[in-house]
Amino acid sequence: MNQYSFEVRKLTIDDLSLQPACFQNSIDGDAALGKMAHYAQFFVPGIANPVYYFRNVNPDSQRWAGISEFGGDPLAPQRGLHGDDLAQEKTWTIPYHLVREFPRTYEIASVNPFSLLRFTDDGNGGVFAEFKEGKDGCILDLRVEPFPVAVISHANPDQPAPYFQVNTIFSGTYMGHPIKGMGGFDRTFLGNTGQKDKDTAEAMYSQTYQVCCALYSGLRQDGRKECVYALIANENGKGMGMYYIDGEEPVITDSVYLDAVFCRLPYVDDGTIVYTNATWRIGPKTIHFTGQWGTKSFTAYPKLEKHGQSQCFGSWYEGDVPYRHVLEHTFNENSGDAYPERMRKMGFQVVD
């Protein structure tokens, strides 16, 4: 553990248990699993923009899922591809549980519509996952490999609920088409107080996700994986930052600065704002992002009722010399309260 409230290390099968050892302490309140999110971005022949898969679950139930095509520019909404044919909130679900001990494997599944999220010890200190949607994986069938590092966030004033996030690379099929791509998954945990009281739990979730964040990953031409984790909760210049590339020690810092101009999301009337291009400074590293596509949440329709939330996707590179990744994933999200007054108060530039 370093001097910060988060650590960067390889994800293990213990981290995927209902009560990971890393959160069994007084700071994290002996935390237990709360919410789980899983996401993947890929291209499909005949579909102009990237396709995005997102499934969000509780330990004992589905929450929601969507597969959609991104909007054609950073301020455009998505086009739904799958919604009702995916397991949703009221779908009967087999809760998240230990399936077998050797190799240690956890999963959560639904039968009709079919959905499976499975996580297995890879025998080398890490894990691999399988994500399936539709009968026998007829809609989506992915084998998912986590990156060498994950961000493990312990409870702190900015993020009261313990949390982890890991980037992933995957291969498989979508509607029978072979695909490759990148994405990630994350989990939010609840300490004793949150586990015992629903209102407290929701308050912790809300505060934990009320942030400006960026999750980037890429595979360079030389085969090296690299990724970025950047989060600002209250004040531009302070937050949680990580940069990793194969062969080097990760950069870990609480110095996180976002240089971006926020503008209004044009198809909503609630004042929600978003940035479309950005430069992140994570300690000594400079990360450039160029927005290309948009979405409003990750359901099969633009979630207009999700006020103050915005996302943007595109391409990225580190340093002063631009380059392209063989595969890449960018996730920029302003969660829960992306309005001009609040973002200005945090130190960001907003145009009317």
Side-chain angles (χ1 to χ4, degrees), residues 126-144:
V127 301
F128 70 90
E130 299 161 81
F131 300 165
K132 297 178 186 289
E133 302 290 343
K135 185 177 180 181
D136 299 322
C138 63
I139 297 176
L140 193 70
D141 188 348
L142 304 181
R143 180 181 170 93
V144 181

Side-chain angles (χ1 to χ4, degrees), residues 49-68:
N49 304 315
V51 174
Y52 208 79
Y53 162 69
F54 201 113
R55 174 163 293 286
N56 204 319
V57 302
N58 297 315
D60 59 355
S61 64
Q62 305 292 343
R63 297 189 66 231
W64 52 267
I67 298 177
S68 59

Side-chain angles (χ1 to χ4, degrees), residues 36 38 56 68 112 131 152 161 175 181 201 213 245 248 254-255 267 291 295 308 314 318 323 342 352:
M36 303 181 278
H38 315 79
N56 204 319
S68 59
N112 186 26
F131 300 165
I152 313 291
M175 300 299 292
C213 71
I245 188 167
E248 298 180 12
D254 60 2
S255 175
Y267 56 89
T295 188
E318 181 272 327
Y323 56 89
R342 177 172 186 263
D352 296 320

Side-chain angles (χ1 to χ4, degrees), residues 128-311:
F128 70 90
E130 299 161 81
F131 300 165
K132 297 178 186 289
E133 302 290 343
K135 185 177 180 181
D136 299 322
C138 63
I139 297 176
L140 193 70
D141 188 348
L142 304 181
R143 180 181 170 93
V144 181
E145 305 283 350
F147 264 44
V149 295
V151 172
I152 313 291
S153 176
H154 298 276
N156 63 79
D158 291 336
Q159 283 197 301
Y163 169 87
F164 81 65
Q165 189 275 334
V166 67
N167 298 291
T168 60
I169 185 168
F170 64 83
S171 61
T173 60
Y174 167 70
M175 300 299 292
H177 295 285
I179 57 171
K180 291 183 178 181
M182 287 186 162
F185 60 87
D186 60 60
R187 297 188 179 183
T188 306
F189 298 80
L190 285 173
N192 287 324
T193 304
Q195 294 171 44
K196 296 175 182 176
D197 183 81
K198 184 176 181 181
D199 290 340
T200 300
E202 288 304 316
M204 292 174 71
Y205 285 138
S206 177
Q207 188 177 346
T208 292
Y209 287 109
Q210 198 171 43
V211 298
C212 178
C213 71
L215 310 173
Y216 303 158
S217 59
L219 182 65
R220 288 207 185 189
Q221 297 284 344
D222 61 8
R224 287 183 296 167
K225 299 182 184 74
E226 65 177 336
C227 61
V228 167
Y229 182 97
L231 180 147
I232 299 171
N234 292 306
E235 180 183 347
N236 197 10
K238 298 180 181 179
M240 295 168 54
M242 184 274 293
Y243 169 81
Y244 167 84
I245 188 167
D246 284 344
E248 298 180 12
E249 286 297 312
V251 172
I252 303 171
T253 181
D254 60 2
S255 175
V256 182
Y257 183 85
L258 171 60
D259 184 1
V261 177
F262 285 77
C263 61
R264 292 187 182 271
L265 201 58
Y267 56 89
V268 299
D269 60 4
D270 61 3
T272 298
I273 58 176
V274 63
Y275 62 83
T276 59
N277 296 301
T279 300
W280 290 89
R281 294 185 178 85
I282 301 173
K285 295 292 183 178
T286 301
I287 312 297
H288 303 274
F289 166 78
T290 301
Q292 296 172 264
W293 310 290
T295 188
K296 185 76 168 74
S297 194
F298 303 97
T299 46
Y301 64 93
K303 208 168 187 177
L304 304 183
E305 69 272 23
K306 195 75 171 179
H307 302 295
Q309 183 194 72
S310 60
Q311 293 93 9

Side-chain angles (χ1 to χ4, degrees), residues 62 92-97 107-111 114-117:
Q62 305 292 343
W92 183 80
T93 299
I94 303 168
Y96 188 77
H97 66 289
E107 69 177 43
I108 182 171
S110 291
V111 177
F114 182 82
S115 174
L116 173 68
L117 304 172

